[in-house]
Each structure stands twice: as structure tokens, then as C-alpha cells.
Amino acid sequence: MDVRLAQCFLAVDDHDKAIAFYRDVLGMEIRNDVGFEGMRWVTVGSPLQPDVEIVLEPPDASPDASPADKQALNELLAKGLLRGVIFTTPDCDALYERVRESGADVLQEPMDQPYGVRDCAFRDPAGNQLRFIERPAT
């Protein structure tokens, strides 16, 4: 069976700030920017992975969510409690410096983990946790 990741979703509360971060700081491409019924979805992706996209969507985008659920999602995003994404990079320290200099909220400076990777972590402008791992040379 051939199964591959195509898209994942991150909630954002300000698409323009998210675009500035993902495009200008992380070097991702803007693949799509769509408005529909008062909402906006933006897809971004690494030029090195043309078949994988991150969809930046409003936290209350689900049409099946109740008003109380939508409010709860907005509150969780504001607290930085929604999950994020893990990226790989060949140079964790250089990436750390670039992202730190952008003013992103640092969660963890680069460090060697006992499970064999070097990693660091930040929050994006919406509060999503982003972790960047450098795998050991093989």
C-alpha cells in the first residue's frame, strides 16, 4: 500500500502574519490563498516537498463545530495549546538563529536529545508549536 502525507492543518488567527512567518522566515512557498464565505485558507509548503502542503486555516473553520466548540478552539489557540508540526532541517543551529532573529517565541534552544536528534522549538505567530529536528549524519 502506498500512503503518503498530502496536507496537514494548522489553525491561525491572522493569515498575513502567518504568511510572513512561513514564507519570509521559513522560506516556504505560498501555494494557494482562498477566501470562501468570509473565511480564508492559505496553503504553504517547502519547495523541497512539492507534494506536501500545510493548510493555514481559521481555528473555527469546521462547519460541524458548534458555537461553543468554535469558541473553545479560539481560546486554545490563543493559549498556544493546539498541536503543531515537526520539520526536519540539515542545520538546526542555523535555522534556530534565523527563526529567533525573526522575533518568534522560543520554546527550546537547540539541544541534543537522547533519542538521537538535535532539535529546537518555537511558536508561530498564532501560537502553534513548531519543532525542527536535525537527524544525525548516516
Side-chain angles (χ1 to χ4, degrees):
M1 186 180 300
D2 186 356
V3 178
R4 299 172 191 225
L5 176 68
Q7 294 179 323
C8 63
F9 293 78
L10 283 178
V12 298
D13 54 359
D14 185 321
H15 282 92
D16 294 328
K17 285 181 183 178
I19 288 171
F21 180 78
Y22 286 92
R23 181 192 59 208
D24 302 339
V25 177
L26 297 183
M28 297 201 173
E29 301 171 327
I30 305 303
R31 305 245 176 97
N32 213 349
D33 190 340
V34 177
F36 180 71
E37 294 185 2
M39 287 196 238
R40 183 179 180 193
W41 290 266
V42 176
T43 56
V44 298
S46 168
L48 302 173
Q49 291 181 298
D51 56 342
V52 178
E53 298 177 326
I54 299 170
V55 180
L56 306 174
E57 66 173 356
D60 56 0
S62 174
D64 299 323
S66 70
D69 290 341
K70 290 180 179 189
Q71 180 180 345
L73 286 168
N74 278 298
E75 290 171 2
L76 289 170
L77 178 63
K79 292 178 182 180
L81 294 176
L82 297 181
R83 300 302 290 165
V85 176
I86 299 174
F87 297 95
T88 62
T89 180
D91 188 342
C92 182
D93 294 272
L95 183 132
Y96 171 81
E97 286 304 322
R98 178 179 173 90
V99 178
R100 183 188 60 77
E101 288 173 4
S102 78
D105 183 20
V106 175
L107 296 176
Q108 176 198 304
E109 295 181 4
M111 63 184 293
D112 294 323
Q113 298 292 352
Y115 42 88
V117 300
R118 183 166 181 79
D119 69 356
C120 62
F122 294 90
R123 291 206 187 280
D124 75 2
N128 296 298
Q129 183 183 121
L130 305 179
R131 187 164 290 279
F132 300 89
I133 63 170
E134 177 183 341
R135 294 190 173 109
T138 55

